[in-house]
């Protein structure tokens, strides 16, 4: 490569000939301000924060937070986390399709302008949150620094819904609990979401799907489970305690499946136990309705049972299982069309959701739990759901103020039935052929109680009727 040298004289001559001049005036020798390619970021000082929405998808939670600022501009951030609360974390932008814990994602805006990139740190101390080291870039190329602290109060996720998993006695009958010789009772709760079959060739249970069981050994008071706070203990002492140590033989832990308070995880065909060694069980009751809640705090078990526990109730409740349904996933109101008085009410618990394609009328399900359909004949041509008590009926006597017994019909499973839902797939129907149905209240306080033999199904909420 050739190298060229230019003298200072030649360069000065060229500048002079081109009309470009320089000055040695001391007042003008400073370099002028440089003009950058990007605008300087706008500082936004946080004055308040409000939780606009929160959703749950598998193990991820999405929190949509509105920030008010002293400059009058509003920031809306969609945060993705793996806790039921907003935790301290560093956040970077990611599209919704790939977003995971520690991302903020699509839907984040500043004054309505989409945020397309950026990063910030969030420190959380209870309801107090602080944003720092923030750089946010909007779709129009503008940049912002959101900074400062605010109080963000919100309700955490509802507890995981538990139902009682009956145990089998030696005679083949079912019970809600197992009485032990030491004045304790073992109650097993479940989230559902899985199936369990005994393989006669291997003499082992075969598991399909995913879910959890919670086995609790409660100290009883005169043979009853009284309200109170049950604290963990490796033995039994006065007061409310539950056992949290497994049976040991010669100092070696053994038979974990049969002793202690255990949280089981069912996945990949296996059922794995782990000892519950922390957290209190808070037992309260309202009439025959028990609430048994465990909240281990951040990252731990957060679950609740609501229902009857039979004759462990010191107030003498009748034996039987009470199943709490937590959501209305669909209503087919044929009465509203004036064709008939028929209304199908579909309820679920766990995290079961349903959606129907309006073009094909096909319904798909997601989640794990229990699904129940109640087929009601209300009032011919009226289109509303009458309050009162409904008696069960078969096809021949089905009419006003009746609900239909379950069975297989021309279009498959019909009438009133319960099905387990495992990973969005409905299992085999358990048809309800006896009992009474009571519908009370209005709006959000609509109460549905279905007494079906030894099982009572209850729902309180809005079904739109």
């Amino acid at each position: 490569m050739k190298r060229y040298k230019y003298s200072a004289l030649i360069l000065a001559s060229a500048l002079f000939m081109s009309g470009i001049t320089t000055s040695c005036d001391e007042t003008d020798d400073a370099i002028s301000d440089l003009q950058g390619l990007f605008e300087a970021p706008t500082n936004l000082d946080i004055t308040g924060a409000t939780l606009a929405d929160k959703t749950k998808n598998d193990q991820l939670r999405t929190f949509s937070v509105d920030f008010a600022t002293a400059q009058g501009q509003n920031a809306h951030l969609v945060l993705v986390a793996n806790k039921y609360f907003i935790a301290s974390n560093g956040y970077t932008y990611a599209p919704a399709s790939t977003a995971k814990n520690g991302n903020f994602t699509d839907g984040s805006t500043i004054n309505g302008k989409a945020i397309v990139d950026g990063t910030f740190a969030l420190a959380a101390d209870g309801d107090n949150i602080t944003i720092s080291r923030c750089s946010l870039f909007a779709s129009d190329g503008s940049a912002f620094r959101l900074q400062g602290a605010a109080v963000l109060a919100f309700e955490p996720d509802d507890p995981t819904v538990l139902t009682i998993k009956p145990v089998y006695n030696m005679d083949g009958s079912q019970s809600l609990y197992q009485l032990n010789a030491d004045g304790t009772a073992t109650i097993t709760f479940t989230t559902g979401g899985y199936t369990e079959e005994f393989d006669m060739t291997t003499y082992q249970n075969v598991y399909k799907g995913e879910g959890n069981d919670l086995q609790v050994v409660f100290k009883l008071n005169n043979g009853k489970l009284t309200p109170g706070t049950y604290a963990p203990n490796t033995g039994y002492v006065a007061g409310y305690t539950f056992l949290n140590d497994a049976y040991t033989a010669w100092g070696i832990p053994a038979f974990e499946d049969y002793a202690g308070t255990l949280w089981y995880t069912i996945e990949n065909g296996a059922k794995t136990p782990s000892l519950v060694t922390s957290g209190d069980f808070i037992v309260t009751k309202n009439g025959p309705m028990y609430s048994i809640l465990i909240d281990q705090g951040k990252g731990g078990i957060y679950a609740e049972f609501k229902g009857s526990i039979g004759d462990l109730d010191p107030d003498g409740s009748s034996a039987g299982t009470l199943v709490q349904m937590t959501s209305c996933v669909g209503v087919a109101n044929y009465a509203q069309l004036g064709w008939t008085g028929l209304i199908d009410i579909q309820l679920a618990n766990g995290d079961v959701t349903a959606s129907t394609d309006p073009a094909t009328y096909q319904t798909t399900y997601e989640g794990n739990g229990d699904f129940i359909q109640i087929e009601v004949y209300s009032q011919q041509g009226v289109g509303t759901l009458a309050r009162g008590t409904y008696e069960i009926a078969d096809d021949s006597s089905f009419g006003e103020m009746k609900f239909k017994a379950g069975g297989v019909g021309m279009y498959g499973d019909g009438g009133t039935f319960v099905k387990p839902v495992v990973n969005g797939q409905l299992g085999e129907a358990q048809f309800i052929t006896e009992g009474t149905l009571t519908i009370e209240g209005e709006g959000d306080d609509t109460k549905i109680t279905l007494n079906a033999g030894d099982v009572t199904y209850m729902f309180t909420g809005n079904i739109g009727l």
Side-chain angles (χ1 to χ4, degrees), residues 300-313:
I301 302 169
Y302 182 46
E304 183 178 28
F305 164 77
K306 286 185 176 181
S308 166
I309 56 171
D311 56 12
L312 287 184
D313 187 341

Side-chain angles (χ1 to χ4, degrees), residues 175-400:
S175 177
L176 301 181
Y177 55 87
Q178 176 67 54
L179 280 178
N180 306 313
D182 57 357
T184 66
T186 301
I187 304 176
T188 300
F189 306 96
T190 183
T191 65
Y194 72 91
T195 59
E196 172 181 353
E197 296 179 0
F198 188 74
D199 188 332
M200 293 299 295
T201 60
T202 63
Y203 298 101
Q204 292 183 339
N205 285 324
V206 177
Y207 300 97
K208 296 179 181 179
E210 297 182 355
N212 297 97
D213 286 349
L214 175 61
Q215 172 184 288
V216 189
V217 183
F218 285 107
K219 176 71 173 178
L220 300 180
N221 182 8
N222 295 323
K224 305 295 182 181
L225 183 64
T226 52
T229 299
Y230 289 72
N233 197 281
T234 54
Y236 294 114
V237 296
Y240 301 111
T241 62
F242 69 91
L243 179 67
N244 70 346
D245 58 343
Y247 175 77
T248 59
W250 297 285
I252 302 173
F255 306 115
E256 277 199 340
D257 285 358
Y258 302 100
T261 292
L262 300 161
W263 176 257
Y264 293 92
T265 300
I266 298 96
E267 60 184 1
N268 299 322
K271 182 176 183 179
T272 307
S274 59
L275 282 169
V276 177
T277 58
S278 64
D280 296 338
F281 283 88
I282 309 300
V283 178
T284 58
K285 74 188 289 284
N286 181 10
M289 177 73 77
Y290 272 84
S291 168
I292 301 176
L293 174 72
I294 180 173
D295 183 359
Q296 290 186 319
K298 297 182 179 181
I301 302 169
Y302 182 46
E304 183 178 28
F305 164 77
K306 286 185 176 181
S308 166
I309 56 171
D311 56 12
L312 287 184
D313 187 341
D315 297 325
S317 300
S318 61
T321 302
L322 194 153
V323 178
Q324 190 75 22
M325 310 306 289
T326 54
S327 63
C328 177
V329 295
V331 172
N333 189 352
Y334 304 101
Q336 197 172 42
L337 301 176
W339 299 343
T340 176
L342 181 64
I343 299 174
D344 284 345
I345 304 170
Q346 297 173 342
L347 308 172
N349 58 25
D351 60 354
V352 175
T353 59
S355 59
T356 302
D357 186 332
T360 64
Y361 297 101
Q362 294 296 312
T363 301
T364 57
Y365 300 86
E366 294 182 358
N368 298 280
D370 298 304
F371 170 88
I372 184 170
Q373 174 177 288
I374 305 173
E375 193 163 304
V376 175
Y377 202 110
S378 183
Q379 296 166 292
Q380 177 72 43
V382 175
T384 58
L385 183 64
R387 271 51 183 169
T389 299
Y390 293 72
E391 300 297 328
I392 198 164
D394 57 18
D395 286 327
S396 62
S397 58
F398 191 45
E400 290 192 6

Side-chain angles (χ1 to χ4, degrees), residues 20-100:
I20 300 175
T21 61
T22 62
S23 172
C24 292
D25 187 339
E26 292 184 357
T27 60
D28 295 326
D29 66 351
I31 298 176
S32 301
D33 290 342
L34 296 176
Q35 298 297 316
L37 296 177
F38 303 98
E39 297 180 9
T42 300
N43 290 324
L44 300 179
D45 300 308
I46 296 171
T47 59
T50 305
L51 184 70
D53 190 25
K54 63 185 175 82
T55 59
K56 177 183 177 183
N57 180 17
D58 295 328
Q59 298 302 313
L60 293 178
R61 273 77 167 172
T62 300
F63 301 95
S64 297
V65 184
D66 288 323
F67 292 92
T69 68
Q71 291 75 20
Q73 303 190 54
N74 297 312
H76 178 80
L77 298 181
V78 181
L79 312 176
V80 180
N82 61 358
K83 306 290 186 183
Y84 61 81
F85 51 89
I86 298 177
S88 298
N89 214 339
Y91 287 85
T92 57
Y93 172 79
S97 59
T98 59
K100 57 186 180 181

